[in-house]
């Protein structure tokens, strides 16, 4: 079964607050986007990869992507950098439209998650092949409450809750149909599993192996460097 890879990397990283897009921010000297692509490359084999870049930074991201693309051509297939959209959902929609191969499965993975375990990528792809739609997720470590009427709140059952991550993978036709439907209805989702679910599909959850953090704020870079030290040792 063939798979294609879509990497949303078109965000500015406002919460990180650097002068360069988040995908180019370096962790121990290596840009996040390079780390993420290398991690995916050692996880599975893709026939093609589309990276969504901020429109103003296409050249800068292309330069960084080219380094990985040549070395990892066998794993990432042909790699292209395309201008993303105003929201993550729009970026993914552009990425899907830019795919040239008619792969059975499309995997979507944020550039901002460079620590994903190869086993997680493989498990998500396997679950998508078998069931149509899957996401990586982790259990919350905090207790979680939900707002109730009248200023009250209620405890949720933590052991049944999942914090949704990427990678997410879907049969290509399902993902294409779900994005077309969301665009038609003008609905905006923060992740593709929610968008595909709204189109009527059920989502398989795969528990992430290890820590699959999203680099969002400065403190995540500090944690990231610690994770690198541990993964190296
Ligand atoms: N993303 C994208 N296109 C957008 C917005 C986000 O491709 N218009 C991507 C980001 O590049 C990132 C992933 O979606 O890899 C998750 O988004 P997030 O962590 O929120 O990154 P940013 O939007 O860049 O960060 P911030 O919200 O702090 O600006
Ligand atoms: Mg964002």
């Amino acid at each position: 079964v063939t798979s294609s890879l879509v990497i949303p990397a078109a965000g500015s990283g406002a919460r990180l607050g650097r002068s360069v897009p988040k995908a180019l921010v370096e962790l121990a000297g290596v840009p996040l986007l390079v780390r993420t692509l290398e991690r995916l490359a050692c996880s599975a084999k893709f026939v093609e990869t589309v990276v969504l870049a901020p429109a103003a930074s296409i050249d800068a991201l292309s330069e960084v992507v080219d380094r990985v693309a040549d070395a990892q051509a066998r794993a990432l297939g042909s790699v292209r950098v395309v201008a993303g959209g105003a929201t993550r959902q729009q970026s993914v929609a552009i990425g899907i439209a830019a795919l040239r191969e008619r792969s059975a499965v499309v995997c979507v993975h944020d550039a901002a998650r460079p620590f994903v375990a190869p086993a997680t990528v493989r498990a998500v792809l396997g679950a998508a092949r078998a069931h149509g739609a899957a996401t990586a997720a982790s259990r919350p470590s905090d207790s979680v409450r939900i707002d109730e009427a009248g200023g009250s709140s209620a405890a949720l059952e933590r052991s049944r809750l999942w914090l949704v991550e990427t990678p997410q993978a879907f049969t290509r036709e399902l993902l294409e149909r779900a994005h077309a439907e969301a665009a038609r209805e003008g609905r905006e989702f923060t992740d593709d599993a929610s968008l595909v679910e709204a189109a009527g599909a059920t989502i398989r959850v795969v528990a992430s192996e290890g820590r699959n953090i999203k680099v969002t704020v400065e403190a995540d870079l500090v944690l990231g460097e610690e994770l690198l030290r541990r993964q190296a040792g």
Side-chain angles (χ1 to χ4, degrees):
V1 180
T2 56
S3 307
S4 295
L5 179 60
V6 172
I7 304 279
S12 63
R15 286 169 287 182
L16 204 52
R18 300 288 187 91
S19 55
V20 294
K22 183 157 75 179
L24 296 179
V25 170
E26 295 185 357
L27 193 60
V30 180
L32 291 180
L33 179 57
V34 170
R35 292 193 175 278
T36 300
L37 285 171
E38 285 179 341
R39 196 49 78 93
L40 269 292
C42 72
S43 304
K45 192 171 165 17
F46 300 95
V47 292
E48 69 179 322
T49 298
V50 170
V51 175
L52 289 310
S57 305
I58 298 222
D59 290 350
L61 261 75
S62 298
E63 206 173 292
V64 149
V65 165
D66 282 350
R67 279 186 256 157
V68 192
D70 290 343
Q72 304 290 357
R74 286 168 63 97
L76 299 178
S78 71
V79 184
R80 266 167 305 128
V81 179
V82 171
T87 64
R88 184 188 180 281
Q89 180 174 319
Q90 285 170 22
S91 291
V92 174
I94 291 167
I96 296 166
L99 293 172
R100 290 173 183 162
E101 305 287 339
R102 296 179 59 78
S103 286
V105 168
V106 176
C107 178
V108 182
H109 183 66
D110 289 341
R113 292 190 193 271
F115 300 105
V116 62
T120 302
V121 179
R122 287 192 283 267
V124 168
L125 285 170
R129 268 180 226 122
H131 306 289
T135 183
S138 296
R139 298 290 192 191
S141 52
D142 291 336
S143 295
V144 183
R145 304 185 67 80
I146 188 166
D147 286 339
E148 298 272 271
S152 180
S153 68
L156 293 177
E157 205 178 329
R158 187 170 69 191
S159 59
R160 293 184 56 210
L161 297 178
W162 288 107
L163 302 175
V164 172
E165 303 168 348
T166 66
Q168 301 188 339
F170 313 90
T171 56
R172 183 177 47 79
E173 284 170 6
L174 172 60
L175 186 62
E176 286 175 350
R177 178 165 62 78
H179 266 275
E181 204 169 300
R184 197 164 53 237
E185 294 173 0
R187 298 185 68 188
E188 192 73 32
F189 298 87
T190 54
D191 75 299
D192 298 285
S194 308
L195 177 148
V196 164
E197 181 179 56
T202 56
I203 309 298
R204 289 283 166 143
V205 172
V206 170
S208 272
E209 188 172 291
R211 303 215 39 198
N212 181 19
I213 66 162
K214 181 162 74 69
V215 174
T216 307
V217 295
E218 201 62 39
D220 296 324
L221 289 171
V222 177
L223 173 58
E225 287 187 3
E226 177 58 27
L227 289 173
L228 282 182
R229 271 193 291 275
R230 267 190 263 166
Q231 287 174 355

